[in-house]
Amino acid sequence: MTFARPDHIRDVDTLPRMPAWVTSTRAETLEDGAFLSGAALNHLHLVLGREEVPQALLRDRLALRAAEACVAFSGRSERAGELRDAVHLLRPGDLPGPAGETYHIWRRAVERPVSIKALGRALPAFEPGQIATWLDAGKGLPVTRAAMVLEVVLREVPRADLAALILADAALAQALDWEHLVPLLAAGPKRADLRKQGDDLRLACHRALISSAIEAVRQVADLARRAAHLKAVAPKLRAKGAGDAVEMFLTRDAVAPSALPLPDRAARRLCDRLVDLGAVRELTGRDTFRLYGV
């Protein structure tokens, strides 16, 4: 006997895939880069508009990827697991350290709609007026605007890679009429690319956005399937506060049991139950200080 798949699972299966000619072609010239990045971003734009996409969860997952890249740019060795620990296992009053702070900044940058106030909250070292001036420096089409913002910030503050990449992604989001910043630029380029200027920098940005948009579309498909499964099993959860806990999993890359709105033992039992149901994964491989995510 076969059973029909629930509508929300079938809807996820209909998410369009990135065209093969985008994923298999390398941008050798500025014209090629502009064409391919435009196609990749247009496809990502269409996918992001789908109702079944867990938008906040996707942004938080991409923020982790961007933070990992920025930490590597600074010469540090922390990877995704260590960044998760630095943020999600932080005790009240403790400081996250340089790598953890980078992740904190990216998370703050994506959690609220793009605005000068929100960017100022994420980047408190810079005055809101300065942030607005830098964003206004971007002109033209979306990737060109992002590249111009990246170039002007790094020209004025040469070591501000993190701020420059966040503001470049903010300029891109504004140009594409996205409500939130979606971390794309940081994970694509090499550190040497950030020191380029003019057309060389624009080509590097096109290439970075092609690869990052392809990865973001892959993440969308994966997270949409996982989120749909979590929603499907949620009615089986009987713990008081389980609904709020599920919502946390649907909006955060990783969750510590202690962060859930349940008593400690009940929170751990809920996480184990969700793992048994295949709805979340344990992310650390440890027996203690565990983190869970969709």
Side-chain angles (χ1 to χ4, degrees):
M1 179 180 296
T2 59
F3 296 90
R5 303 181 76 190
D7 288 343
H8 54 272
I9 300 291
R10 291 201 302 270
D11 289 345
V12 169
D13 289 341
T14 66
L15 285 173
R17 297 182 179 181
M18 185 75 73
W21 57 266
V22 175
T23 62
S24 63
T25 307
R26 176 171 171 78
E28 300 292 348
T29 67
L30 189 58
E31 291 77 12
D32 290 344
F35 179 75
L36 290 169
S37 68
L41 288 169
N42 180 66
H43 186 87
L44 177 60
H45 179 81
L46 293 175
V47 170
L48 290 178
R50 297 285 290 263
E51 183 179 358
E52 60 269 32
V53 175
Q55 304 281 351
L57 174 57
L58 173 68
R59 292 194 303 272
D60 204 31
R61 183 67 54 83
L62 293 177
L64 174 63
R65 188 166 179 259
E68 191 176 22
C70 288
V71 167
F73 289 158
S74 69
R76 301 185 65 89
S77 61
E78 288 90 344
R79 306 297 291 173
E82 292 161 301
L83 294 178
R84 283 176 172 140
D85 285 353
V87 167
H88 298 291
L89 300 180
L90 197 67
R91 297 175 181 175
D94 287 350
L95 297 176
E101 181 60 22
T102 295
Y103 186 21
H104 265 303
I105 289 171
W106 272 109
R107 295 187 79 213
R108 286 196 294 265
V110 304
E111 66 186 4
R112 299 186 181 188
V114 175
S115 68
I116 300 301
K117 182 178 180 181
L119 291 169
R121 177 176 173 270
L123 299 168
F126 301 99
E127 293 293 330
Q130 180 64 79
I131 291 173
T133 298
W134 281 332
L135 287 179
D136 287 343
K139 308 294 182 184
L141 295 175
V143 182
T144 299
R145 286 176 62 174
M148 291 176 70
V149 171
L150 185 64
E151 184 171 355
V152 71
V153 174
L154 290 176
R155 184 169 60 243
E156 295 183 17
V157 191
R159 300 191 178 206
D161 294 353
L162 174 59
L165 288 162
I166 287 174
L167 293 176
D169 269 332
L172 183 71
Q174 289 178 329
L176 293 171
D177 200 26
W178 290 348
E179 183 177 7
H180 287 80
L181 184 158
V182 179
L184 294 173
L185 267 169
K190 298 177 181 178
R191 192 175 192 281
D193 289 333
L194 302 183
R195 307 305 163 218
K196 295 177 179 178
Q197 298 180 349
D199 287 350
D200 290 338
L201 179 60
R202 281 195 286 279
L203 178 56
C205 287
H206 285 304
R207 287 174 172 167
L209 288 167
I210 294 165
S211 63
S212 289
I214 290 170
E215 172 60 19
V217 169
R218 189 195 68 77
Q219 289 271 9
V220 167
D222 180 57
L223 292 177
R225 281 192 296 271
R226 294 178 181 277
H229 181 56
L230 175 56
K231 292 176 183 178
V233 305
K236 300 178 181 180
L237 305 174
R238 299 290 179 239
K240 185 177 181 181
D244 291 336
V246 167
E247 186 60 29
M248 291 178 68
F249 282 113
L250 289 171
T251 56
R252 301 185 187 184
D253 164 72
V255 178
S258 60
L260 295 175
L262 292 88
D264 286 346
R265 183 174 295 180
R268 290 194 296 271
R269 282 201 303 266
L270 176 64
C271 290
D272 290 340
R273 174 68 169 148
L274 288 171
V275 170
D276 290 340
L277 291 168
V280 303
R281 298 168 293 159
E282 201 288 308
L283 300 172
T284 68
R286 297 187 296 247
D287 293 330
T288 57
F289 300 105
R290 290 180 158 189
L291 297 173
Y292 298 83
V294 171

